[in-house]
Amino acid sequence: MSTTTSTDTLSAHVRGYAQAVRLHLEDLGPDVADDLTDGLEADLTEAVLDDVEAPADAVGTQVFDLTARFGPADEYAAELRAAAGLPSAAPARRPIPAAARAIGEAWTVASDRWRATWRPLTSTPGWAAAVEFVRSLVPAWWILRGWVVAQVLLVSFTPAGIVLWPESTHGRVLVVAAIVVSIQWGRGKWVPRWAWFPRVVAVASVAAGLLAIPMMTQVEAGARPVVADYYTGFDAGWAEGFSNAQVSTVNAGDGAGTDGVWVDGVQVSNIFAYDAAGDPIRDVQLFDDRGRPIRTIGAGATWDTWSVPDVPGSWSFQPALASDGRTRWNVYPLSAVPADQVGLGDDEVGGYSEGEGTEYPLPPTGVQPQELPWPFLKAPTAIEDDDAVAGSGAEESDEPAHEGLGHDRSANDPAGDTVRPGDRPASGGVEPTLEATEAD
Amino acid sequence: MLCVDTTQLLKGVLDAAVLAVVEQEDGYGYDIVRRLRAGGVESGEASVYGTLRRLYASGSLTSYVVPSEEGPHRKYYGITPHGREALNSQRKEWQEFADTMAGLLGERNEAAR
């Protein structure tokens, strides 16, 4: 052959073809496969050169499709092993050809095209720098991966919640061990030599990556003391905590611990105030030390329904209305309407559809918000009647603002369907408590 | 030209053909393919290589490596006494088979006329 280039190319093609044949003999084990294909390259080359009577040029062009000359590599391998009296390839490997090959080719084409599309970007030095930067973060990913795996194990097999650093010793040991193993695997150490192992690690890593984000969110929520209470509640007794939660809330929702008022890990739906003498006070406006209104029903939870102690059914709380018509959710106790009357129950009686755009579920005309039962007729403790402390409270207890939650409807006495202890002093029509404090 | 596929028929025939070719002179894989072709037997190359390997494994052939001046080394095959025995018995069987077939086909041909 006059041109070494074409013979070089030929030998490259021959090596490729021989390699493909060997691939199809892989299941026989390396010894048998090598024995069967020993000298295959030489034989193939010679066969090709034998076919080409014409010199170099022809070698360069027509003959290089070895598949056309020798047939597909898998058929060649099958013929080889059949003639050698060896078992044909395992049936599991056989069905690969048509569909899988088409998918594989389509994938190759698609990924090539994808790479080509982004080449203008990926070929820039900035991209290389970015890739290098991301690559330098890989150890951090190893740590996160170990942490996620440890959390999954802890949550699955112990009553622990997802926290950044577990409180229990075994939890801490597990987290450290998982992180160390994850790092070592990332560095290619401590890796078992099972054939399936890398695949399992790959799948588990992807799963860990997907889990990492929601778990981090959980940790953020868990950083608030509320959930810590819930966590210790487990220690105190899971059943008790569960039943408490059942009584007090119908839907604590996903935002548990992020909004509202909580007592002992249980969300508060309504607040009842008593004065120094132990008598109930209505229309109490509550603010925290920063002047923010204290809302049990968060801005995003106004459509939630609640179950309350001693009264069956679920209830939808109603805000007080200020004199300018704005809603006030920090005026207690809150009144409520049965959830099914505002279209949140089983049958849609109320104006659910028209109310959907409103801030909270408006009761249909004729349905009055009800006052819910007070926990005590009179507070169990009376505060010593010091003038400085009890002065204003005593005044209010003289005139408890009964139905005056700011609703115009309160003019109609809802005493008939109001659920409350019967023998409390009830004098209607005291509205002005709200108007006095319309400052904010 | 006798064109043989990878069929049941091939196995017996190709074994005998390969043994016969190697008996004449030792050879390597493609060399044997070439000589089979020259003798009128067109067979898949892979079938020949597989057959060589099987005959070697069964002890009918021996093999040795000859370094090549250009390119890779060559694995040559030579016949063993056991291979010679096998070839002789196959020759005999083939002769009987061919006679039977000739007689049978000849009769049929006459009957067809």
Side-chain angles (χ1 to χ4, degrees):
Chain A
M1 295 298 110
S2 57
T3 54
T4 51
T5 323
S6 49
T7 40
D8 283 351
T9 323
L10 173 62
S11 73
H13 279 256
V14 163
R15 274 202 305 276
Y17 187 85
Q19 200 52 45
V21 171
R22 284 198 184 94
L23 213 62
H24 288 283
L25 299 170
E26 220 177 13
D27 58 301
L28 296 171
D31 289 346
V32 178
D34 284 352
D35 185 33
L36 207 51
T37 56
D38 190 20
L40 182 59
E41 281 90 343
D43 286 333
L44 292 172
T45 309
E46 199 170 339
V48 170
L49 295 179
D50 226 20
D51 285 357
V52 188
E53 302 297 318
D57 292 346
V59 178
T61 55
Q62 74 191 59
V63 203
F64 276 15
D65 186 4
L66 294 186
T67 315
R69 169 64 180 76
F70 298 106
D74 58 333
E75 283 175 19
Y76 192 95
E79 192 182 333
L80 201 55
R81 73 162 81 206
L86 294 164
S88 53
R93 290 185 174 243
R94 283 267 146 158
I96 294 172
R101 195 183 296 162
I103 292 170
E105 279 167 13
W107 169 253
T108 312
V109 169
S111 61
D112 282 353
R113 197 170 295 163
W114 176 256
R115 259 181 239 126
T117 311
W118 292 101
R119 194 152 297 140
L121 177 66
T122 54
S123 58
T124 59
W127 177 266
V131 168
E132 201 195 333
F133 174 75
V134 170
R135 217 163 259 160
S136 69
L137 295 177
V138 163
W141 156 241
W142 295 339
I143 293 173
L144 178 63
R145 181 176 63 180
W147 179 83
V148 169
V149 169
Q151 292 299 329
V152 168
L153 293 175
L154 283 174
V155 171
S156 306
F157 298 107
T158 68
I162 297 170
V163 286
L164 191 60
W165 184 231
E167 301 198 357
S168 59
T169 313
H170 65 265
R172 290 177 178 183
V173 169
L174 184 63
V175 167
V176 169
I179 289 175
V180 167
V181 169
S182 173
I183 291 173
Q184 288 295 76
W185 285 355
R187 300 167 67 213
K189 302 190 174 173
W190 296 4
V191 181
R193 287 192 188 157
W194 304 310
W196 48 265
F197 189 77
R199 271 183 214 178
V200 171
V201 171
V203 170
S205 293
V206 170
L210 292 176
L211 275 175
I213 296 161
M215 285 179 112
M216 295 305 275
T217 323
Q218 276 286 318
V219 166
E220 199 188 333
R224 293 163 187 265
V226 165
V227 173
D229 282 347
Y230 196 55
Y231 170 65
T232 50
F234 266 117
D235 290 343
W238 180 85
E240 193 190 350
F242 183 74
S243 63
N244 282 348
Q246 287 299 298
V247 167
S248 62
T249 64
V250 169
N251 60 36
D254 295 328
T258 60
D259 207 352
V261 178
W262 294 68
V263 172
D264 286 344
V266 174
Q267 193 169 7
V268 174
S269 58
N270 209 348
I271 293 173
F272 296 90
Y274 294 85
D275 66 8
D279 293 320
I281 320 175
R282 294 190 173 75
D283 298 340
V284 176
Q285 302 190 71
L286 294 183
F287 296 90
D288 72 354
D289 51 0
R290 290 178 172 79
R292 297 174 302 182
I294 296 177
R295 296 180 58 159
T296 55
I297 312 297
T302 53
W303 281 85
D304 288 355
T305 56
W306 301 71
S307 64
V308 295
D310 304 330
V311 191
S314 52
W315 298 80
S316 184
F317 282 103
Q318 300 286 311
L321 292 174
S323 55
D324 61 358
R326 282 191 282 179
T327 53
R328 286 285 169 265
W329 287 94
N330 62 329
V331 180
Y332 296 97
L334 293 169
S335 59
V337 293
D340 54 9
Q341 293 197 7
V342 289
L344 294 173
D346 294 335
D347 43 10
E348 291 197 8
V349 182
Y352 180 75
S353 52
E354 70 190 24
E356 233 171 346
T358 60
E359 184 196 332
Y360 61 96
L362 290 171
T365 317
V367 175
Q368 292 299 323
Q370 299 176 26
E371 189 173 276
L372 295 167
W374 290 66
F376 317 107
L377 296 183
K378 201 170 168 71
T381 47
I383 311 299
E384 198 177 337
D385 196 7
D386 182 47
D387 276 353
V389 179
S392 62
E395 270 174 39
E396 285 208 32
S397 73
D398 289 342
E399 297 179 335
H402 178 207
E403 262 82 39
L405 289 184
H407 295 282
D408 290 341
R409 303 187 188 96
S410 62
N412 314 325
D413 186 5
D417 54 343
T418 299
V419 185
R420 62 172 181 239
D423 56 348
R424 242 174 321 96
S427 60
V430 183
E431 293 179 328
T433 32
L434 277 178
E435 290 168 4
T437 54
E438 242 339 283
D440 76 330
Chain B
M1 180 174 275
L2 178 62
C3 198
V4 205
D5 285 330
T6 42
T7 56
Q8 218 38 44
L9 179 66
L10 162 84
K11 277 185 183 164
V13 178
L14 194 57
D15 280 18
V18 167
L19 282 173
V21 166
V22 177
E23 192 194 27
Q24 289 163 14
E25 194 187 344
D26 293 358
Y28 58 87
Y30 185 69
D31 176 48
I32 291 164
V33 171
R34 200 186 274 147
R35 279 154 59 194
L36 279 171
R37 277 182 191 157
V41 177
E42 186 73 35
S43 173
E45 286 156 37
S47 297
V48 175
Y49 304 148
T51 302
L52 282 169
R53 195 251 173 218
R54 181 164 42 80
L55 291 173
Y56 171 76
S58 68
S60 296
L61 294 178
T62 178
S63 89
Y64 53 97
V65 169
V66 174
S68 166
E69 288 155 16
E70 41 186 85
H73 68 263
R74 285 297 193 177
K75 194 179 192 177
Y76 273 72
Y77 290 93
I79 198 161
T80 62
H82 178 259
R84 231 178 275 274
E85 262 176 46
L87 178 59
N88 283 333
S89 78
Q90 278 173 28
R91 268 199 188 111
K92 223 168 118 192
E93 278 170 25
W94 175 257
Q95 203 56 57
E96 285 170 13
F97 176 69
D99 287 349
T100 310
M101 288 301 288
L104 196 62
L105 295 174
E107 275 172 27
R108 280 289 160 91
N109 280 349
E110 280 168 20
R113 278 170 212 163

